[in-house]
Amino acid sequence: MPEEKKRSRLGVMGGTFNPIHYGHLVTAEEALFQFNLDKVIFMPAGVPPHKTDKEILPPEERYILTVIATASNPDFFVSRLEIERKGPSYTIDTLLELHEIFGPEVKLFFITGADAVWEILTWRNAEKLVELTEFIAATRPGYSLEKFKKLHVLPEDKGRVKGKPKVSIMEIPALAISSTDIRRRVRENRPIRYLVPEGVASYIEKSGFWKD
Ligand code: NAP
């Protein structure tokens, strides 16, 4: 009898990453460890759905910052799928493409912030989405899980019912760091050292992002 092939486990780290910071990196590393993932692909959003904020750097710049931040980790990769796709970056399109590339033998875990995850049922083609992936929702300490109860997506929910997302919640203390705070600090000439990797801080400074 041939030995059953182990299904590989792929983390897909979705976010705007405007900019990427240590909170994101700790989240991905923790997901890799807790969920026994083989690798994590960071997926900077091209045009995030529902966002028109002028503070959002061009996709190519957020991609470069993400590459700089993840370069030293052999288990982290960065994808250009969303930044090259025209129009809003719907997660369903990304997961369908990954499913096509890697095949059904790869199990997908979509990792992102809890605020985004709790709205997944409003996302485009939600029913197909929950068939394609499990979700890992990263929270800041002290984050209330009350609203997840309303969605019936708390971790104690076993298995996956049609149309019902499988969501696991991870509390990440390093998510006290936020992209919003980093942009504010840059504008106010306050330090961002130790909040983002050194190369990211240098690239932000050299490019003059968020200065005007
Ligand atoms: P967001 O609203 O900018 O972020 C929500 C919260 O989650 C923020 O506190 C954010 O902190 C945090 N966060 C974002 N990404 C994270 C990550 N990977 N790990 C840990 N914390 C994270 O979220 P968004 O960037 O717009 O959306 C997140 C993902 O969901 C993206 O991949 C986006 O494409 C997807 N999404 C899809 C749809 C759809 O398909 N219709 C709709 C909405 C979102 P920071 O600001 O510090 O990152």
Side-chain angles (χ1 to χ4, degrees):
M1 195 84 156
E3 213 180 291
E4 202 188 316
K5 197 169 168 270
K6 188 180 154 271
R7 213 174 163 205
S8 43
R9 298 162 72 84
L10 179 67
V12 180
M13 179 78 172
T16 308
F17 303 128
N18 186 49
I20 191 162
H21 53 66
Y22 275 127
H24 299 128
L25 295 168
V26 171
T27 299
E29 184 68 11
E30 190 61 22
L32 194 78
F33 173 75
Q34 278 194 29
F35 294 84
N36 201 18
L37 306 178
D38 297 296
K39 56 182 165 183
V40 175
I41 301 186
F42 284 69
M43 187 66 67
V47 182
H50 326 304
K51 278 197 184 174
T52 49
D53 195 332
K54 62 175 177 6
E55 278 209 320
I56 300 181
L57 296 178
E60 200 65 47
E61 299 290 17
R62 289 182 284 109
Y63 169 80
I64 291 170
L65 288 169
T66 308
V67 169
I68 293 171
T70 54
S72 62
N73 188 322
D75 299 320
F76 288 176
F77 299 83
V78 189
S79 169
R80 297 182 58 84
L81 271 188
E82 290 196 357
I83 69 161
E84 285 183 358
R85 192 186 305 138
K86 294 213 165 57
S89 297
Y90 293 112
T91 302
I92 184 68
D93 297 336
T94 306
L95 295 180
L96 283 170
E97 263 190 80
L98 291 174
H99 195 67
E100 186 78 21
I101 294 167
F102 293 104
E105 61 279 6
V106 171
K107 191 169 163 57
L108 300 174
F109 293 80
F110 190 76
I111 312 158
T112 195
D115 279 340
V117 168
W118 111 271
E119 290 177 347
I120 44 187
L121 293 181
T122 69
W123 291 5
R124 173 175 282 214
N125 205 345
E127 194 166 300
K128 180 74 185 161
L129 196 64
V130 304
E131 264 177 40
L132 282 175
T133 189
E134 290 191 18
F135 292 87
I136 302 176
T139 67
R140 303 194 150 93
Y143 186 91
S144 164
L145 297 179
E146 274 307 301
K147 54 189 181 185
F148 279 90
K149 275 189 197 147
K150 288 191 200 117
L151 264 186
H152 308 293
V153 293
L154 276 179
E156 58 261 30
D157 285 341
K158 296 276 188 306
R160 190 187 310 167
V161 180
K162 193 164 189 275
K164 183 171 167 184
K166 175 91 169 34
V167 178
S168 306
I169 294 164
M170 274 190 329
E171 193 174 281
I172 306 289
L175 279 178
I177 302 171
S178 82
S179 299
T180 310
D181 179 52
I182 288 167
R183 296 194 300 273
R184 191 182 308 126
R185 283 172 165 273
V186 171
R187 264 196 311 274
E188 295 171 356
N189 293 316
R190 289 158 65 208
I192 59 168
R193 204 179 193 183
Y194 308 126
L195 300 176
V196 298
E198 233 173 275
V200 169
S202 309
Y203 192 83
I204 289 173
E205 194 184 352
K206 190 165 92 178
S207 309
F209 296 146
W210 305 300
K211 282 292 191 192
D212 44 34

